[in-house]
Amino acid sequence: MIKTRVWVPVMTTIALSLMTSTVMAKVSEAEAAKLGKELTCVGAEVAGNADGSIPAFSGKWLGKPPHVEYTLHVGQHPVDVYPEEKPLFQITAANMAQYADKLSPGQQAMFKRFPDTFRIPVYQTHRDFRYPDQICEIAKKNALEAELIDDGLGYTGYKGSIGFPIPKAPMEVLANMNFPYRAYTEEIVRDIADIGSDGAITWGRQINKNLNVVTSPDQIGKPMEGLMAYSLSGTLLPERDRGSFTGSQEPVNFARNKRLAWQYDPGTRRVRQLPTYGFDSPMGATSGKMTIDQDRLMNGDPSRYEWKLLGKKEMYIPASSYRLHSKNVKYADMLQKGHANPDLLRYELHRVWVLEGSLKEGYRHAYGKRVMFIDEDNWHASVGDYYDTRGELWQHAFINHYYAFDLNAWQAGTSFYHDLNSGTYVGFNLIQEREKAYVLNAGGLTPDMYTPAALRAMGQ
């Protein structure tokens, strides 16, 4: 097992008070008035840090910057907004101790596991993009009115934006992570690489069509109720599973509804309902090295875990990850033995919320503890560390986000899931060698595409 030293996050005074808070109430008018002033409209601190390594929020761009050429909603590969920038410095196994307070235990374990090859290239931090005004208005309305219900498994409020821009409890942060403003339609053909400890790759490929109800144009601003999202996944590789389709429906409140899923089996040509879909069920095409609820680092029903908010800290996380998603990137150059090619990665210093989930007594899951590091500027989980049921650090994962001009918000791009014990990893959501990248907000997806009858028709 990978061993790591005890890690204590650097927390602000206000964050310390959140660790044991059970507050589930809306904020006052005075607190909400901070949004758009000393706080951004989604609750990030506008000011930079003391030494300027985190700049003040500028939000100077909404959508495509003037110097970028990009065609919306057709699946064009991301275009680098900062093409001339070079790393300010590199973190390596040799100098890791100098930066340890700004690294997660999983990041530190990666240096110990791959001391000769793993690097974190640190670039200038940017906070240049903002959300649409409508999303900001809903966030402020939620700040004044939204409340957790059903032990935090649901909340009142309005669709389209986060529920708790000024969070008072762990489950409010978790809700923000699960309900950021993101694409309402997403279509991709994604490659999945299972990289062995010797560098050999086993390939998977899936077609995905996702409909996010709560950010659909006709739903934004409506009360938070009903379904959150629909998802459809079809297997193209490996060949033994080709033709299998899975459709799922996600509720906004797991206390009142459950995730439903159906699968079409090409062998029997039948559709069956999956009794359990989520939690630590294996993710398709990953050889069981990812769980269903690891997509976006954590998704689905959170009720098997007790959640703690460990505060806010400064941390090096993947950000502005345009270069990695270029159509010029080849898998052979990206997927190296042990980890992805550091030359294609970009890390920046950001403030992150630290959210920890510990498995409840009497419940089962592969992970006894999971810790997510959530970017304060967009509420997306960027880095995740996973522990086994004995409390030993087991896996480290990270998602490479970028601001997508198609939706004027952040998109979860290629991610990497590392088994720190075996030295294997999974490259997930790979689109670099695909004809199209992520087709975002193009529309055309409807709920009737996700029914058992629709799955059966796809298999004919």
Side-chain angles (χ1 to χ4, degrees):
M1 293 291 178
I2 291 290
K3 303 285 186 179
T4 187
R5 64 181 176 82
V6 176
W7 175 77
V8 180
V10 178
M11 294 178 284
T12 63
T13 301
I14 190 171
L16 282 167
S17 69
L18 300 180
M19 290 182 62
T20 58
S21 172
T22 57
V23 175
M24 295 187 181
K26 50 208 169 190
V27 304
S28 67
E29 289 275 1
E31 288 180 288
K34 297 177 182 178
L35 298 172
K37 296 176 182 176
E38 62 238 63
L39 300 177
T40 69
C41 77
V42 294
E45 298 173 47
V46 167
N49 63 358
D51 64 8
S53 53
I54 297 177
F57 175 79
S58 73
K60 64 182 180 181
W61 291 323
L62 175 65
K64 183 179 72 66
H67 66 283
V68 171
E69 294 185 5
Y70 186 86
T71 303
L72 299 176
H73 314 311
V74 298
Q76 181 177 340
H77 285 73
V79 177
D80 197 347
V81 175
Y82 312 109
E84 304 302 322
E85 292 188 355
K86 305 296 182 184
L88 301 175
F89 58 92
Q90 306 257 1
I91 304 175
T92 66
N95 66 7
M96 176 189 73
Q98 180 181 344
Y99 304 100
D101 64 324
K102 293 180 174 61
L103 299 171
S104 83
Q107 289 172 326
Q108 296 179 51
M110 288 291 290
F111 286 113
K112 295 174 183 177
R113 188 67 173 78
F114 306 104
D116 299 325
T117 57
F118 185 68
R119 291 179 283 116
I120 287 182
V122 178
Y123 287 74
Q124 177 183 347
T125 300
H126 290 283
R127 304 175 71 196
D128 294 331
F129 290 98
R130 67 182 187 272
Y131 286 105
D133 290 344
Q134 181 188 25
I135 302 308
C136 291
E137 292 166 1
I138 295 171
K140 186 168 184 178
K141 190 176 182 181
N142 278 337
L144 290 167
E145 300 184 32
E147 295 180 287
L148 294 175
I149 57 175
D150 296 325
D151 294 325
L153 297 182
Y155 70 94
T156 64
Y158 303 93
K159 297 176 181 176
S161 192
I162 60 165
F164 305 97
I166 306 175
K168 302 292 185 180
M171 295 299 282
E172 293 181 346
V173 171
L174 184 64
N176 288 348
M177 189 190 78
N178 285 331
F179 292 91
Y181 177 62
R182 63 187 186 211
Y184 79 93
T185 63
E186 177 186 41
E187 299 181 68
I188 56 173
V189 175
R190 66 183 178 197
D191 290 321
I192 302 172
D194 173 14
I195 301 96
S197 58
D198 60 356
I201 300 176
T202 301
W203 287 101
R205 182 173 296 161
Q206 294 179 332
I207 180 170
N208 285 80
K209 297 184 179 183
N210 303 315
L211 172 60
N212 195 43
V213 177
V214 297
T215 56
S216 297
D218 63 344
Q219 292 294 312
I220 288 178
K222 293 184 177 181
M224 181 63 75
E225 58 188 11
L227 289 177
M228 173 189 177
Y230 298 89
S231 180
L232 175 68
S233 177
T235 301
L236 304 176
L237 290 176
E239 283 292 340
R240 65 179 181 274
D241 298 324
R242 185 179 179 88
S244 173
F245 288 88
T246 301
S248 65
Q249 301 177 4
E250 190 96 352
V252 300
N253 185 326
F254 279 96
R256 303 183 182 185
N257 295 288
K258 301 298 181 183
R259 175 185 274 171
L260 299 177
W262 299 266
Q263 186 174 64
Y264 172 80
D265 180 359
T268 62
R269 295 188 176 184
R270 291 185 177 180
V271 174
R272 65 184 181 93
Q273 184 170 354
L274 300 177
T276 301
Y277 184 76
F279 300 111
D280 55 358
S281 299
M283 174 70 74
T286 68
S287 301
K289 294 178 180 176
M290 276 181 65
T291 63
I292 293 292
D293 69 359
Q294 269 187 305
D295 192 2
R296 298 181 185 269
L297 301 185
M298 171 66 200
N299 71 84
D301 187 346
S303 62
R304 294 189 182 184
Y305 290 86
E306 294 284 356
W307 296 95
K308 291 182 181 179
L309 188 56
L310 303 185
K312 188 187 288 187
K313 73 186 298 281
E314 295 181 4
M315 180 171 158
Y316 296 110
I317 63 173
S320 306
S321 301
Y322 297 99
R323 181 178 305 168
L324 176 68
H325 297 95
S326 168
K327 64 180 180 180
N328 297 320
V329 170
K330 302 301 181 186
Y331 294 153
D333 296 326
M334 179 201 305
L335 303 172
Q336 299 181 343
K337 180 180 176 181
H339 52 77
N341 183 352
D343 292 336
L344 298 174
L345 303 180
R346 178 187 176 115
Y347 283 73
E348 298 178 357
L349 185 64
H350 283 241
R351 285 182 291 245
V352 298
W353 291 98
V354 185
L355 185 65
E356 176 187 281
S358 297
L359 190 62
K360 292 178 180 178
E361 187 75 26
Y363 286 80
R364 64 164 299 277
H365 197 287
Y367 305 122
K369 184 173 73 174
R370 55 206 307 163
V371 184
M372 273 85 67
F373 302 87
I374 303 163
D375 190 344
E376 70 161 353
D377 283 324
N378 55 41
W379 291 104
H380 284 279
S382 180
V383 174
D385 289 344
Y386 301 86
Y387 297 75
D388 64 23
T389 53
R390 295 174 295 176
E392 300 288 347
L393 182 59
W394 178 12
Q395 295 183 14
H396 169 69
F398 59 94
I399 302 177
N400 297 277
H401 290 92
Y402 63 93
Y403 184 90
F405 315 134
D406 309 85
L407 57 142
N408 298 338
W410 281 261
Q411 169 69 11
T414 291
S415 50
F416 299 103
Y417 292 77
H418 291 269
D419 185 319
L420 295 166
N421 299 320
S422 67
T424 63
Y425 70 106
V426 172
F428 192 67
N429 266 350
L430 305 178
I431 45 77
Q432 289 77 1
E433 290 192 17
R434 302 264 49 85
E435 179 183 355
K436 292 184 178 181
Y438 314 98
V439 182
L440 304 172
N441 280 10
L445 303 182
T446 56
D448 59 3
M449 298 171 64
Y450 300 87
T451 64
L455 286 177
R456 190 174 295 108
M458 290 174 191
Q460 300 307 314

